[in-house]
């Protein structure tokens, strides 16, 4: 018998971060502190995942620099006054053993692009409270300019201030919600 399971994120045991080069010599890390993720699977097989919905609140960006965070929220980048969230809708989770690829549509502002994320599946366990949990590590990269995040600056010496490539990393722990 096929059982449909609903899963949602455990925000206390998950994190979503991004990394970007500054002046092309150091890497700056930022986090989204508020995000949601829900999906469904048949039984506990994540290759059957559907209705994969992720959203991150733009105003929750934290790069450990208040001035930079405000700049990222401005119209130069995410335009948080108009677009409160970035969204990812997964369309295909395909893998074998502990490695998979998650393909989906990422929307930042008014632009949607297909992205692929490498997934490392950590497994499924029952915690001490009787909750079934599943763990994942995700990584990928994208061109910020493809999403309309085109702000650029060059120093007097000719150095690029912010790279186009943004690396995405996420540590995700899901909690099984409902068996239907």
């Amino acid at each position: 018998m096929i059982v449909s399971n609903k899963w949602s994120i455990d925000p206390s045991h998950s994190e979503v971060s991004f990394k970007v080069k500054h002046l092309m010599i150091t890497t700056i890390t930022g986090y989204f502190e508020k995000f949601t993720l829900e999906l469904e699977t048949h039984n506990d097989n994540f290759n059957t995942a559907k209705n994969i919905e992720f959203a991150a609140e733009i105003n929750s960006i934290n790069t450990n620099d208040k001035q930079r965070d405000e700049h990222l929220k401005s119209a130069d980048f995410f335009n948080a006054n108009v677009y409160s969230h970035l969204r990812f809708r997964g369309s295909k989770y395909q893998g074998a053993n502990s490695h998979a690829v998650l393909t989906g549509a990422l929307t930042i502002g008014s632009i949607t692009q297909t992205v692929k994320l490498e997934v490392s599946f950590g497994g499924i366990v029952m915690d001490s409270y009787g909750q079934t949990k599943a763990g994942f590590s995700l990584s990928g990269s994208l061109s910020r300019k493809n999403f309309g995040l085109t702000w650029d600056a060059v120093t007097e010496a000719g150095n690029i201030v912010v790279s186009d490539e943004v690396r995405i990393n996420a540590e995700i722990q899901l909690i099984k919600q409902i068996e239907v």
Side-chain angles (χ1 to χ4, degrees):
M1 177 173 146
I2 295 177
V3 176
S4 181
N5 294 321
K6 291 188 179 183
W7 300 81
S8 64
I9 198 152
D10 179 348
S12 296
H13 298 103
S14 300
E15 64 181 40
V16 177
S17 66
F18 57 92
K19 295 181 179 287
V20 64
K21 287 282 191 184
H22 179 256
L23 299 176
M24 306 312 288
I25 59 170
T26 57
T27 300
I28 302 300
T29 302
Y31 297 89
F32 289 98
E33 295 180 337
K34 295 180 182 178
F35 47 87
T36 60
L37 173 62
E38 294 182 347
L39 61 95
E40 294 176 34
T41 62
H42 293 300
N43 297 323
D44 289 340
N45 180 353
F46 285 91
N47 283 323
T48 67
K50 62 182 181 179
N51 300 324
I52 304 167
E53 300 285 339
F54 171 84
E57 187 177 309
I58 299 301
N59 278 321
S60 75
I61 287 176
N62 183 349
T63 64
N64 293 317
D65 183 290
K66 187 175 174 85
Q67 184 177 354
R68 180 174 46 228
D69 295 346
E70 291 306 314
H71 189 207
L72 287 171
K73 296 172 193 177
S74 77
D76 283 345
F77 287 97
F78 288 101
N79 200 2
N81 289 333
V82 176
Y83 304 102
S84 61
H85 291 80
L86 66 79
R87 299 186 186 283
F88 176 81
R89 175 173 281 163
S91 57
K92 186 176 186 182
Y93 179 97
Q94 186 174 18
N97 301 320
S98 63
H99 298 288
V101 174
L102 176 59
T103 304
L106 176 63
T107 301
I108 300 175
S110 63
I111 298 174
T112 302
Q113 299 277 328
T114 299
V115 296
K116 291 185 177 188
L117 300 170
E118 297 293 322
V119 180
S120 177
F121 177 55
I124 298 174
V125 299
M126 185 172 293
D127 71 10
S128 58
Y129 300 102
Q131 295 178 312
T132 301
K133 305 239 180 143
F136 303 85
S137 296
L138 293 91
S139 63
S141 65
L142 57 88
S143 162
R144 67 180 174 88
K145 292 178 182 177
N146 285 347
F147 289 91
L149 306 176
T150 59
W151 180 88
D152 259 331
V154 177
T155 66
E156 289 180 15
N159 296 331
I160 296 171
V161 175
V162 180
S163 67
D164 177 40
E165 181 187 33
V166 178
R167 291 180 287 146
I168 301 166
N169 294 293
E171 294 296 325
I172 302 296
Q173 190 170 110
L174 299 174
I175 304 170
K176 187 189 296 186
Q177 298 298 308
I178 302 171
E179 293 183 7
V180 182

